[in-house]
Amino acid sequence: MNLPLAWVGYEYLLAEVLQEFGLSDADIASFLSGPAFQAWNRLGNIQGSWGPGGPLPKDWLESQFSLQQQIVARMLELGMTPILPAFTGFVPRALAALYPDASIVNGSQWDGFPAALTNVSFLEPSGTLFAAMQKSFVERQQAAYGAGASHMYALDQYNENSPWSGDPAYLANVSAATFAALQAADPEAVWVMQGWLFVDDAAFWTQERVAAYLGGVPDEGMVVLDLWSEKYPWWQDTESYYGKQWIWCELHDFGAAMGMEGNLPALTGGPVQALAASPGMMGIGLTMEGQEGNEIVYDILLDQAWSSSPLNITAYVESWVARRYIVRPLPTTAQHAWAILSTTVYSDDVSIGTIKSIFELEPAIWGLTNGGFTAVPYDTNTTIVPALQALLAAAEESAALLAVPEFLYDLVDVTRQLLANRFIDAYDALVTTFNSSGATAPSVTSAGQPLLAILSDTDTLLWTNEHFLLPTWIAAARSFAGGNATYGDYLEYNARNQITLWGPDGEISDYASRQWAGLVGTYYYQRWETFVEYLANVTGSGGSYNNVTLHDSMLAVGKSWDTEIWDGPWGVEGETMEVISTIVDKYV
């Protein structure tokens, strides 16, 4: 890894720049988002905070800046070139009043958020104010990390935002002025941008507009991340980004979802084919939104970077398993388990990203099982089941495997996937019962019990492994607060809200959902229990199913859960093999 993104602590320097140009602490506080949502604030999607605790504390700004100083120093020590942030142009609304002659336009609404939290103001780069603020930001950053720390700058202006105008001349002027300001601040600057905007809004970004926007910058002055190359290689639709250097990237893990999924043939063949077809390709990268399991899909891409021909997947998986499990001799059943998974679950060219379990989604009687993130593209009984059985057989043959953390992780992960898939069958049975002509309240209640049992069993399973715990997430968030309980509560709300409602009113609810002990047993269990009770009540009363009423109930559950403070277990509970044995008896 030689070109890592290093964007921690951006807000500290940005706040200093905004203060220099006349904005008050209150103005700045109204703009910055909470710790769990800063990435989207940086990209101009959202602004401001929500939930208890008020605006972003100054303690957060200072601690993140201090952390970034350590991060950059360590990257440089390792010989890396960090991609540092630049001033993007997204600013508090109050700037327009201070500089009435500046060209400041409002961005677009993002994902249903209320106007107060989106429609972010964008200072157009054509004016002198943008150049002055860019210069101030870059100089402050150079003073903090060293003038020669890096000349690579992350700068995304239209990531899931709509430009003020679609006129090609306007777009070319925006990019040209942006780069001119950046280069004025650092003559050696290289602009690094995500290519996601072209994929996300392909209807707007016609070839003419893409060519105009990219054409505003000299070829040597820009690097484009082809963000989702394994699924949508946009370099093919843009003539290799019209001469710019670009990087073949794997996205894969939307929202840090935990379902087992991948496309090994695309990861081994795609980069090699691209390199042969596009001289502008300069590297291979990982741009996943999270990394919750599925380690093989990231490992194989990084190893593919060292090979000029596609890796032999069969041989690679065998070597990977041997390295992962250490034990010698390694039982052949362990290899057999991964031979099954690698040729089925991890050879998927249908899904659009890592798969979510439907039990992570807001309950409803339609639309859950056939979504792009939830449809399971393989037969559980011929993939997950025999793979789990093979791993268990390997453990019987060699007890030493039970001392290998990676092996225990995989056992829990495959068992978790089994339960997640079995939940679909139980859900379908419940919906069928509810829709049947002879449905009664008791029959619906009875049909709902298997769903709740699966959630309970999943939670019990996940508690047995340190890598599947909600309290780890909460403790990590609270750790930034030290002994300040009020600050800790604020950070815990952010952590809880991101993995549940993702917004004050569930604007992108469940997008960043997880299958973690504590989360499954409280939040998801409560929602599905409420759902079963609602269906039974509707059936018993002869009323009609009302998705709005149900949604309101689910939103209330979410808002209540997000403001709670965790007081349950903080570590592993239960014995993995005993729990898995019970689950296998019930579900295999």
Side-chain angles (χ1 to χ4, degrees), residues 66 91 95 117 150-151 196 201 258 332 366 438 505 524 544 573:
S66 176
V91 293
L95 191 72
L117 296 173
S150 180
H151 302 289
W196 177 252
D201 194 1
M258 297 174 64
T332 58
W366 57 68
D505 293 298
Y524 298 146
S544 299
E573 293 200 334

Side-chain angles (χ1 to χ4, degrees), residues 348-362:
D348 168 33
D349 62 356
V350 177
S351 299
I352 63 171
T354 302
I355 297 171
K356 286 180 177 289
S357 169
I358 65 169
F359 72 59
E360 300 170 55
L361 305 183
E362 181 177 303

Side-chain angles (χ1 to χ4, degrees), residues 496-560:
R496 284 173 174 261
N497 184 259
Q498 190 202 72
I499 60 174
T500 54
L501 295 181
W502 216 118
D505 293 298
E507 280 75 5
I508 52 172
S509 184
D510 304 315
Y511 180 77
S513 60
R514 305 289 203 281
Q515 295 178 43
W516 285 340
L519 181 62
V520 175
T522 60
Y523 185 58
Y524 298 146
Y525 191 96
Q526 186 177 352
R527 290 205 301 185
W528 284 95
E529 185 178 47
T530 300
F531 177 65
V532 173
E533 290 175 354
Y534 174 78
L535 295 184
N537 289 338
V538 167
T539 303
S541 67
S544 299
Y545 176 89
N546 187 317
N547 205 53
V548 174
T549 299
L550 183 60
H551 170 73
D552 289 344
S553 297
M554 296 301 164
L555 185 58
V557 170
K559 288 187 172 184
S560 174

Side-chain angles (χ1 to χ4, degrees), residues 268-331:
T268 54
V272 175
Q273 295 164 6
L275 187 60
S278 177
M281 177 181 162
M282 61 172 286
I284 292 175
L286 297 178
T287 50
M288 60 279 195
E289 291 188 349
Q291 190 176 352
E292 297 290 335
N294 292 304
E295 293 167 57
I296 194 169
V297 303
Y298 309 119
D299 287 348
I300 200 170
L301 181 67
L302 297 181
D303 285 331
Q304 181 59 61
W306 298 93
S307 176
S308 59
S309 59
L311 295 173
N312 181 299
I313 295 174
T314 300
Y316 181 87
V317 172
E318 289 179 357
S319 176
W320 184 83
V321 173
R323 294 195 308 271
R324 185 171 179 81
Y325 293 160
I326 304 173
V327 171
R328 303 289 185 273
L330 182 65

Side-chain angles (χ1 to χ4, degrees), residues 373-419:
F373 290 114
T374 59
V376 178
Y378 55 82
D379 177 13
T380 301
N381 292 324
T382 59
T383 56
I384 300 297
V385 168
L388 176 57
Q389 291 172 327
L391 289 175
L392 291 171
E396 277 193 34
E397 186 176 340
S398 176
L401 281 169
L402 298 179
V404 178
E406 292 82 357
F407 182 80
L408 287 174
Y409 177 94
D410 291 343
L411 265 179
V412 172
D413 199 33
V414 176
T415 308
R416 174 204 57 73
Q417 192 65 58
L418 170 67
L419 291 170

Side-chain angles (χ1 to χ4, degrees), residues 244-268:
K244 299 296 183 287
Q245 295 185 96
W246 65 278
I247 298 175
W248 197 104
C249 297
E250 176 189 4
L251 178 51
H252 182 265
D253 196 1
F254 286 94
M258 297 174 64
M260 298 175 70
E261 190 272 348
N263 189 349
L264 302 187
L267 298 175
T268 54

Side-chain angles (χ1 to χ4, degrees), residues 469-478 494-496 498-499 514 516:
L469 306 182
L470 170 67
T472 300
W473 173 257
I474 292 176
R478 296 189 69 93
N494 266 256
R496 284 173 174 261
Q498 190 202 72
I499 60 174
R514 305 289 203 281
W516 285 340

